[in-house]
Structures are given as structure tokens and as C-alpha cells.
Amino acid sequence: MTDFEIALDACLAGLQDGALTVEACVARYPEHAARLGPLLRAAEAARRQAVDLPSPVFKGRLRAQLLERGSGRAAPVFSRRLLLRPAAALTALSLMLITTGTAFAQAALPGNVLYSWKLASERAWRRVAIDSVSVDLAIARRRADEWIAVATDTALGAKTFVEYREVLERVLAADSDENHARIQAELEDQKSRLAAAGLTPPPFEDLVPPNEPLEPVTPVATTYLGTTATPNGFPYTPAPESTPLPAPPADGAEPQPGPSPAVALTPIAPPP
Amino acid sequence: MSAVTTRPLEQAVDNESSLVRRAKAGNAEAFAELYDAYMERVYRYVYYRVSDRQTAEDITSQVFLRAWEHIRKYRLDGSFLAWLYTIARNAVIDNYRTRKPVVSLDDAVPVASKAAPPDEVAELRVESESVKQAMRNLTDEQHHVLTLKFIGGYSTEEIARQMEKRPGAIRALQMRALQSLAKHLEIEEE
């Protein structure tokens, strides 16, 4: 910044305050007088420039316009929007995660992290379904497929088998004249798919509806004639040949009669 | 019509921050109070820039409508009037971009001349028109600085803060502006 600019600025401030005149300023800075004079006169001309005042009519009209615009503006919109924006984003994100997660979980197999999510989604599916039999049949098909997929893992195979059987029990409990044909068709299909994989499902006709008490589980197969194993080592009993042992007496009571020869529930225990 | 009277920045309304807060929350009455306090100053700024009553009214309307529309974006750490001047400056620039230059036919004559004899009034009118023409040769920045100084009554430091420049830059700008005016008004060095 030059001395001249400082002198000019001081003079402009003086003119503005009314404390100085152009002549007084020029006299105060004689070394800059030749340059200061014209600029200060130009400044005075610019300062003297007339400035119109707004008309009261215009002033009132614009005020009314602003108030009119303001009346349609809800005061809390700002804060509400601020709050709603992250909430909406969070909701959208949650929905996206749930949807994506659920979709991914549908492919999960027993032992996978998302498998319990899959089971939970199936429970939700059943709750909202109008036709629960169809849902149970679909779930049964899933369990059968899962069993095939994890059959080489003894522990998982056993676990999946139990779950499959539970679904089958539900399906068979819903067996009626109305549903019989489709249940039969679907279960036969599952049976053949399992057989193709070297697995044998529990005999459908032996499954007890869940609202009835299950028969006591027959002791292990070592004492059990006719017990054999599937290629994956999972025990099952061909129904016609099997003769289940009576349940061991509890506190010395008479042994309970086992299921009829045709009803041979397979002991579910993974092979050693 | 009035002569230039300066109103320093310090004359902001006492409860400005409270009014601004309420206006930001959507209170139209609070904004109307701010309008009452600052409308005239904004109008004078605009008029000084455009030298035409109708254009000044149009731009002033735009300034307050924009301010009301965007008041939520206004940060409370600055002067509300300075914010309005910034909006006004942008509106003036927009006006120059979108409209043909207006050659004002307003009979804008300094108030000091009201009581002057007709010859003097005519002379002042000619001078006024010359000044307007000379000011049209200023850049937007130069015009803005002179307007803030002569109409807004701001000091160099206040203008520097408002324009986010150093005071030295503002002094240089005002010097070049006055040099340009002197040249176009044919005011020669002594």
C-alpha cells in the first residue's frame, strides 16, 4: 500500500464524516496535492449523486408480499426436515440391509452365518402367508435340498434332518382332502430327489402331527435289527423290516409298547 | 429524492440477532421487522448502482424475496445488512447480464440543489448525468466499493471484511475507481 492510497483513504473518511473539505485534504497532503485533488473532486461528485428514496407505496407493497409469502411457510419445517432427513436415510438404509441380507440369507446352508436369518425369514413368511401349506411345502423342499447339500457333514446332516422332519410334521398335520394331492405330489418329489442323492427321508406316514405327543425315541441302532446307514452315514430304518424296541422302563414300570411295526421312527443320532 | 447520508454499520437494529433467529425459524413477522429496518438502505444501494427507480424497485424486491427464501442459509456470525448488500450486489450483476442498459431519465438531482436557481439545477442535472455515465465505466468491484463507502457509510476495514479482502486491496480499488471517475468526468490534475 502506498502513502498516496493511505492519504486518499484518510481524506475520503474525512469527507464522509464532514470533518474535511477537498481543499483541506489537499492542503494536508501537499506532496500528493496534484493527484489527490482530482480524485477527491471525483469522489465528491460521486457522493453528491442523488439517491432516490423508496416510495411508501412500493415499500408497503413489498412488505405485504413478503408477509404473504411467509404465511404459507410453516415454521417448524426447517427443524423437522433436519430431523427427518437422517431418519429417512437410516430407515432406507435399514430396509436395504434387511432386504439384501434376507435375499442373501435365502441361499444360506446349515452352518452358515446367515442360516438363522433364513429360518427367521421363513417364520415371518409363514406368519403372513395366507396358504401356510404351500409355504410349509416350499420350506420342506428347502430343507430337503439343504440336507442333500450338507449330507457329507454328519453333524450338519443330522441337524438338517431334524429340521426337515419338523417341517414334514407340520405339512402332514395339515393333510386333508383338500390338500392331500398336492402334499403327496410334493413329498413324493422330495423323496425321489433325496433318493437320487442317496438319502432316505423319514417315512412320511409315520410322522406324527406336532399336536400329538411323539412316541418315545427308540434306543440306538446297535440293538436294533434292520438298522442300516445311508451313504453319508446317517442312520435310518427301512420301515417294513424294523422292529423298534420298547422304550426303557422308567422307575421300574412296565415297558411301554413301541410303535406299530409300520411306524418306525428313526433314532436321530449322528454316527460316531 | 435525498442527498447521500451515510449510516454506519453500527446502526443495525438492536435485536437483530433475535429477529434473524426467529426469521430463520420461519417467522414472517420477524423478517418483516428486518425488512422495515434495512429496506431503505438496500434500496439506496441498488438505486446508486442502477440509477433508475423502476429497476431499483425491481431489484430491491428480488433482494428481499431472495433473502426470505434463503434466510435459512444465513449464518449468524455476520452482519445481516452486509448479507443483504451481497445479495443486492449479485442481483445488480444479474440485472446487467439479463437486461439492456437502462439510461435513466429520472430527474435525479441532489437535494442540496432543490432551493437552487433553475440554472444551477440544470447544471447539477447535467453533472448528475455525467457522473452516472462515468460510474457506468467502473467495474462491479469498484462500483460496489464506492457504493458501500458513500451510500452504506462503511469504513475501508468494514468493506474489506465484507468483501473478504485486505484493507489495502480495498484502498487500491477505491483509488482506481476514483481515477476512472476523474478521467471520465475530465477532472484534470492541478
Side-chain angles (χ1 to χ4, degrees):
Chain A
M1 196 189 322
T2 64
D3 286 350
F4 177 73
E5 285 172 5
I6 293 170
L8 175 64
D9 197 41
C11 286
L12 288 175
L15 290 175
Q16 195 77 359
D17 295 344
L20 288 173
T21 61
V22 173
E23 291 70 27
C25 267
V26 171
R28 182 178 284 187
Y29 300 99
E31 69 276 24
H32 300 304
R35 287 175 70 197
L36 264 182
L39 300 195
L40 292 178
R41 277 197 290 282
E44 273 297 89
R47 281 187 65 243
R48 277 204 308 271
Q49 189 65 14
V51 174
D52 197 14
L53 285 176
S55 73
V57 173
F58 166 67
K59 208 172 170 178
R61 194 176 61 228
L62 180 54
R63 193 182 201 281
Q65 200 180 344
L66 288 165
L67 281 171
E68 190 186 2
R69 287 211 176 187
S71 63
R73 190 150 137 185
V77 165
F78 179 56
S79 52
R80 198 191 305 150
R81 193 180 295 169
L82 266 184
L83 287 172
L84 283 179
R85 209 172 285 168
L90 194 66
T91 307
L93 184 68
S94 307
L95 277 174
M96 195 183 75
L97 283 174
I98 289 169
T99 310
T100 314
T102 306
F104 270 111
Q106 301 316 304
L109 290 173
N112 289 164
V113 178
L114 291 176
Y115 188 67
S116 50
W117 193 336
K118 180 181 184 176
L119 297 181
S121 72
E122 285 173 355
R123 282 194 292 274
W125 185 16
R126 283 195 82 245
R127 265 187 222 115
V128 298
I130 297 168
D131 181 5
S132 61
V133 176
S134 293
V135 175
D136 281 335
L137 284 173
I139 294 172
R141 197 180 314 133
R142 284 179 169 202
R143 291 299 93 81
D145 290 341
E146 288 163 9
W147 186 20
I148 294 168
V150 299
T152 51
D153 185 317
T154 311
L156 282 179
K159 189 169 180 279
T160 310
F161 175 80
V162 172
E163 284 163 356
Y164 179 45
R165 201 172 73 161
E166 282 173 9
V167 185
L168 289 180
E169 285 170 357
R170 280 207 306 269
V171 169
L172 293 171
D175 196 357
S176 64
D177 291 346
E178 189 190 343
N179 296 322
H180 186 72
R182 60 173 173 158
I183 290 175
Q184 275 303 118
E186 176 60 35
L187 294 188
E188 285 303 323
D189 181 56
Q190 288 177 23
K191 199 172 177 180
S192 42
R193 291 173 67 190
L194 288 167
L199 299 172
T200 307
F204 299 142
E205 62 273 21
D206 298 340
L207 292 170
V208 181
N211 57 347
E212 293 178 20
L214 285 171
E215 294 295 338
V217 173
T218 313
V220 265
T222 47
T223 58
Y224 196 19
L225 290 175
T227 297
T228 181
T230 58
N232 64 336
F234 197 80
Y236 78 102
T237 305
E241 294 83 12
S242 65
T243 307
L245 295 176
D251 53 65
E254 284 296 312
Q256 296 297 309
S260 67
V263 180
L265 281 182
T266 306
I268 303 161
Chain B
M1 202 72 61
S2 91
V4 173
T5 52
T6 58
R7 297 185 184 201
L9 187 61
E10 290 70 31
Q11 281 187 6
V13 285
D14 293 338
N15 54 344
E16 180 184 292
S17 60
S18 160
L19 288 173
V20 171
R21 272 179 223 282
R22 283 163 52 208
K24 275 167 79 74
N27 187 320
E29 287 295 339
F31 188 77
E33 283 192 49
L34 291 165
Y35 167 83
D36 291 340
Y38 297 127
M39 186 271 185
E40 195 178 306
R41 280 183 252 189
V42 171
Y43 178 88
R44 287 157 59 87
Y45 169 93
V46 174
Y47 187 92
Y48 196 76
R49 296 292 309 265
V50 299
S51 306
D52 176 75
R53 182 179 298 165
Q54 187 55 53
T55 310
E57 286 188 356
D58 288 349
I59 294 176
T60 305
S61 298
Q62 285 174 34
V63 170
F64 280 96
L65 291 171
R66 279 187 206 176
W68 182 218
E69 193 180 336
H70 296 288
I71 194 163
R72 290 163 184 164
K73 295 178 186 168
Y74 170 70
R75 289 175 302 168
L76 287 162
D77 54 359
S79 149
F80 189 70
L81 181 57
W83 186 62
L84 291 176
Y85 279 138
T86 305
I87 298 174
R89 181 189 175 191
N90 292 334
V92 168
I93 293 170
D94 288 349
N95 177 68
Y96 282 133
R97 279 182 190 148
T98 55
R99 290 188 189 184
K100 290 178 183 174
V102 174
V103 178
S104 171
L105 297 178
D106 282 359
D107 54 348
V109 180
V111 161
S113 67
K114 274 185 176 168
D119 286 357
E120 199 176 320
V121 169
E123 194 180 321
L124 283 167
R125 189 166 292 167
V126 170
E127 183 196 296
S128 174
E129 198 52 48
S130 305
V131 174
K132 283 179 191 172
Q133 291 290 350
M135 292 186 86
R136 288 193 186 108
N137 291 295
L138 299 178
T139 65
D140 166 65
E141 271 196 328
Q142 291 170 350
H143 209 162
H144 186 59
V145 168
L146 289 193
T147 312
L148 289 180
K149 177 147 276 191
F150 297 151
I151 299 296
Y154 289 93
S155 70
T156 300
E157 286 71 23
E158 286 169 337
I159 296 170
R161 268 202 302 278
Q162 206 183 112
M163 293 179 71
E164 296 180 345
K165 287 179 182 286
R166 287 175 303 170
I170 301 301
R171 289 190 185 98
L173 266 174
Q174 74 186 5
M175 186 186 75
R176 285 197 293 275
L178 293 174
Q179 282 171 340
S180 171
L181 281 183
K183 180 185 159 194
H184 286 96
L185 291 171
E186 297 177 346
I187 302 173
E188 293 175 359
E189 288 191 8
E190 292 158 353

